[in-house]
Amino acid sequence: MASTAELEKIVTQVRRDIIRMVHAVNSGHPGGSLGCTEYLVALYFDIMKHNPSKFTMDGVGEDLFFLSNGHISPVFYSVLARSGYFPVKELATFRKLNSRLQGHPTTHEHLEGVRMASGSLGQGLSNAIGAALAKKLNKDNSIVYSLHGDGELQEGQIWEAAMYASAKNVDNLIATVDMNGQQIDGSTDKVLNMGSLRAKFEAFGWHVLDLEKGNDMASVVNALNTAKTHTGKGKPVIILMKTEMGNGVDFMMGSHKWHGVAPNDEQLAQALNQNAETLGDY
Amino acid sequence: MKKYTYTEKKDTRSGFGAGLSELGKTNPNVVALCADLTGSLKMDAFAKDHPERFFQVGIAEANMIGIAAGLTIGGKIPFTGTFANFSTGRVYDQIRQSVAYSDKNVKICASHAGLTLGEDGATHQILEDLGLMKMLPGMVVINPCDYNQTKAATIAIADHHGPVYLRFGRPTVPNFTPADQKFEIGKAVMLNEGTDVSIFATGHLVWKAIEAGEQLAAQGISAEIINIHTIKPLDNSAVINSAKKTKCVVTAEEHQMNGGLGDSIAQLLARELPTPLEMVAVNDSFGESGTPAQLMTKYGLDAINIVEAAKKVIARKA
Ligand SMILES: Cc1ncc(C[n+]2csc(CCOP(=O)(O)OP(=O)(O)O)c2C)c(N)n1
Ligand SMILES: [Mg+2]
């Protein structure tokens, strides 16, 4: 088990990676990536049972993760590389021609750690359910995790999947929603107010957990450990994780404007100043 | 003209059901998913014999495709079942991202394709599915002609690693393929060797092509008849060799002209061996309610239409 301080060190480096990756190609999605950094670091460096040095598609005996909101690929790639799935220096190829680090994650280029393409929103919960069902058939009592944007929940397929998971007792699944309250055209409340997501998921038969401080490492680790204790009890589990879009970079925080915009040179310097190099830049 | 006989008319969807049942017994990795059409897809036997491997997803096709893609992780071979319309157009993006682009070993099995679905009308009669599916990189597209061939195809695709679209239908049609004929993906079946015209047919139009061949023979025309059960990958050499010999081609299918078998063959011949070609297919139109037989006649998909197309294309030979 990693200490909170150790995990926080990784978080700072991952934030640097994210900012440098999107700056280098003047494209990509820093906002959601920065907001989900604590979650992904906690998952890959503390919570999940997995084998980064020997990636297999089937992941037998391992916990699996599905990134449904594929646009936050920068944080996903950085965490995969930093946890040992592929060389950290490959982060420099992000979004470039002939790279395995496509704009949105894909299995197509055989990048270790990726098990499903995502980018077209709304599909990952179904994928995670399928993988969870395969685990049950294989008598493999590992856990399947998935992450979704809050705006993404406006997709109908999410609710098809939500209905299925509880009706069929898919209880080896922990989904998390990045509740940053933002999407492309503005706040989720303005674009399409979804009302109480807790009430909705409860009505759909899920065990719902609130994580108020999704950018506080100890809280995130604690929430994920709590979620684990609720698996195997007949109900799928969901964490409603409040985060701040752009967290860790003061001028990016809390605004939908940084959903999919890269910093310029000056902004890059400013952002890096706020996130010290802890593990060595790629 | 070689004589073809059959003892029974059977529906191709029952061939799928029988194939799936057999797979259930022989391959423990085969799992099946259905979106509230278990009876129509003839998946009941599999569901009954293997309840732990059968997933009833309700009327939620997008979720079904997504779950199927996830099930492959861990080594399962999922067969999804619903009508052809809801197997393709309804879930195109899910198939594109979670199955085709993710290179997942999912078998998308689609019944009630085409006009022969009948009375339910155009909302259900998809005539674009072959085109939609063949455009996806890596997707194998199969449209067998009768019960025995559909059963054999169902069994064969379990051994092919990668996404497959398997299309079949509702009505009973002559079951003439030998029950022991091995199904080879991408390998056309020569039904009759001929010299005057090549007829390439798929699915329900294969039997009609045989009937057309008999009518043509009665008029002294020797037709080569080839069953193209695999639209993609197309058996290029079977097409080219036959076209070289007869120097004119007719294609026949229960699908739009745009995007179907004829379109694939025309593309191949235009590149490799420009040859006069006529297409028997639906011409940029939706279907409508009616009996299968009435619809096939109204939309020009009968044996007589193949005969006429053959004569027309023979007249176009240089
Ligand atoms: C099916 C689909 N529709 C639209 C888009 C374009 N798109 C990409 S991200 C996004 C907003 C997503 O909002 P949210 O899930 O809250 O993610 P966040 O912006 O918070 O990172 C949209 C509309 C998409 N990728 N997929
Ligand atoms: Mg959001």
Side-chain angles (χ1 to χ4, degrees):
Chain A
M1 261 202 33
S3 73
T4 305
E6 280 166 340
L7 294 172
E8 279 169 350
K9 252 171 89 177
I10 303 169
V11 164
T12 314
Q13 186 64 50
V14 168
R15 288 214 161 96
R16 281 182 77 86
D17 290 349
I18 294 166
I19 300 156
R20 294 179 66 233
M21 284 162 77
V22 298
H23 170 264
V25 286
N26 193 25
S27 76
H29 299 78
S33 293
L34 291 166
C36 292
T37 305
E38 279 83 3
Y39 167 82
L40 272 149
V41 168
L43 208 55
Y44 275 78
F45 288 86
D46 190 53
I47 300 291
M48 284 205 301
K49 168 184 73 184
H50 62 131
N51 195 349
S53 62
K54 282 207 189 91
F55 174 74
T56 62
M57 181 53 76
D58 286 340
V60 177
E62 295 181 68
D63 293 336
L64 306 180
F65 171 71
F66 290 89
L67 181 73
S68 190
N69 46 340
H71 60 276
I72 69 163
S73 57
V75 64
F76 187 35
Y77 292 147
S78 168
V79 166
L80 286 178
R82 296 277 170 194
S83 59
Y85 280 91
F86 58 85
V88 170
K89 65 175 187 317
E90 205 170 336
L91 294 176
T93 69
F94 174 62
R95 282 185 173 241
K96 290 183 179 158
L97 195 64
N98 300 323
S99 172
R100 301 198 297 169
L101 279 62
Q102 292 289 299
H104 294 79
T106 173
T107 60
H108 205 63
E109 318 301 330
H110 307 289
L111 184 68
E112 295 82 4
V114 182
R115 291 193 168 85
M116 189 69 68
S118 58
S120 174
L121 293 165
Q123 301 189 30
L125 190 56
S126 307
N127 301 151
I129 290 169
L133 293 171
K135 293 238 176 254
K136 281 181 182 271
L137 284 172
N138 290 339
K139 311 246 179 305
D140 172 350
N141 62 6
S142 315
I143 296 174
V144 177
Y145 294 87
S146 63
L147 180 64
H148 311 268
D150 48 1
E152 184 187 8
L153 300 185
Q154 291 157 0
E155 283 288 353
Q157 188 182 348
I158 291 283
W159 301 98
E160 295 182 6
M163 193 182 299
Y164 182 93
S166 65
K168 311 283 171 160
N169 306 111
V170 185
D171 58 3
N172 52 345
L173 172 68
I174 300 175
T176 297
V177 183
D178 172 21
M179 304 273 282
N180 61 13
Q182 309 290 336
Q183 56 190 106
I184 291 186
D185 281 353
S187 74
T188 48
D189 285 352
K190 263 208 217 124
V191 173
L192 181 65
N193 193 321
M194 290 176 278
S196 166
L197 286 171
R198 166 173 272 278
K200 283 189 170 62
F201 276 100
E202 277 176 349
F204 274 70
W206 286 59
H207 187 92
V208 184
L209 296 169
D210 287 303
L211 167 52
E212 287 300 328
K213 292 181 177 173
N215 295 116
D216 174 66
M217 184 51 85
S219 304
V220 175
V221 169
N222 187 37
L224 284 165
N225 279 321
T226 306
K228 272 206 238 182
T229 67
H230 291 286
T231 58
K233 300 212 163 104
K235 280 185 174 192
V237 180
I238 191 156
I239 303 173
L240 302 177
M241 175 175 78
K242 285 229 176 71
T243 69
E244 194 168 30
M245 189 177 248
N247 187 278
V249 177
D250 57 8
F251 60 88
M252 289 189 182
M253 287 201 222
S255 159
H256 66 91
K257 303 230 165 53
W258 289 93
H259 159 91
V261 177
N264 61 28
D265 293 349
E266 202 177 308
Q267 291 163 329
L268 171 74
Q270 211 177 326
L272 292 181
N273 259 335
Q274 299 167 23
N275 291 276
E277 190 175 347
T278 51
L279 305 175
D281 284 341
Y282 63 81
Chain B
M1 169 80 192
K2 198 171 155 192
K3 187 82 197 136
Y4 280 92
T5 55
Y6 62 94
T7 50
E8 217 185 335
K9 281 186 161 191
K10 286 172 116 173
D11 48 352
T12 50
R13 58 183 164 145
S14 286
F16 164 68
L20 188 64
S21 257
E22 192 163 319
L23 283 172
K25 295 184 187 90
T26 57
N27 190 334
N29 283 326
V30 168
V31 300
L33 301 90
C34 188
D36 198 25
L37 286 167
T38 311
S40 298
L41 268 283
K42 305 291 177 190
M43 297 168 91
D44 333 50
F46 184 98
K48 190 168 141 282
D49 295 344
H50 311 284
E52 73 296 345
R53 284 193 268 151
F54 178 75
F55 302 95
Q56 169 61 266
V57 299
I59 314 160
E61 295 79 11
N63 189 40
M64 174 168 75
I65 296 295
I67 291 178
L71 272 160
T72 64
I73 298 170
K76 302 301 156 201
I77 308 173
F79 283 62
T80 66
T82 180
F83 290 165
N85 190 17
F86 315 137
S87 291
T88 58
R90 176 90 191 184
V91 292
Y92 198 66
D93 189 43
Q94 284 76 15
I95 295 177
R96 183 174 180 277
Q97 174 168 288
S98 291
V99 177
Y101 187 43
S102 292
D103 193 25
K104 293 299 182 232
N105 195 17
V106 175
K107 316 303 170 188
I108 300 158
C109 304
S111 186
H112 293 54
L115 294 172
T116 52
L117 167 141
E119 293 80 353
D120 277 344
T123 53
H124 288 51
Q125 291 160 344
I126 195 163
L127 294 162
E128 306 88 41
D129 54 326
L130 294 176
L132 287 170
M133 290 299 111
K134 82 178 189 186
M135 280 196 292
L136 290 170
M139 182 68 75
V140 167
V141 180
I142 298 174
N143 188 191
C145 68
D146 64 5
Y147 174 97
N148 283 343
Q149 190 165 68
T150 307
K151 182 178 175 192
T154 303
I155 293 166
I157 61 177
D159 290 329
H160 167 87
H161 190 93
V164 175
Y165 178 63
L166 179 67
R167 177 202 220 219
F168 40 90
R170 178 176 182 235
T172 59
V173 292
N175 184 28
F176 68 96
T177 299
D180 60 354
Q181 190 179 85
K182 195 169 170 275
F183 188 89
E184 287 183 69
I185 295 171
K187 187 100 188 60
V189 179
M190 174 68 76
L191 292 172
N192 190 59
E193 296 198 24
T195 50
D196 297 330
V197 59
S198 301
I199 301 172
F200 299 106
T202 192
H204 291 147
L205 269 287
V206 172
W207 182 258
K208 297 198 183 241
I210 290 171
E211 290 177 335
E214 284 163 357
Q215 293 177 31
L216 287 164
Q219 298 171 43
I221 297 169
S222 161
E224 180 142 300
I225 304 169
I226 297 181
N227 172 4
I228 307 280
H229 52 62
T230 307
I231 314 294
K232 185 185 168 192
L234 188 63
D235 189 342
N236 290 357
S237 59
V239 172
I240 289 166
N241 290 342
S242 182
K244 240 180 219 159
K245 178 165 69 167
T246 64
K247 302 195 163 50
C248 66
V249 165
V250 171
T251 62
E253 64 198 303
E254 190 181 345
H255 190 271
Q256 299 287 355
M257 222 173 256
N258 277 330
L261 169 68
D263 158 310
S264 287
I265 288 180
Q267 198 186 111
L268 171 70
L269 291 175
R271 276 188 278 116
E272 303 280 335
L273 183 76
T275 306
L277 182 146
E278 293 290 331
M279 295 184 193
V280 174
V282 175
N283 188 6
D284 200 28
S285 158
F286 288 105
E288 63 182 285
S289 291
T291 67
Q294 287 170 335
L295 291 166
M296 295 296 267
T297 301
K298 175 161 178 179
Y299 289 86
L301 304 185
D302 279 335
I304 185 66
N305 305 104
I306 301 175
V307 168
E308 280 163 8
K311 289 188 189 163
K312 190 169 165 196
V313 82
I314 288 169
R316 284 173 58 197
K317 281 205 242 188

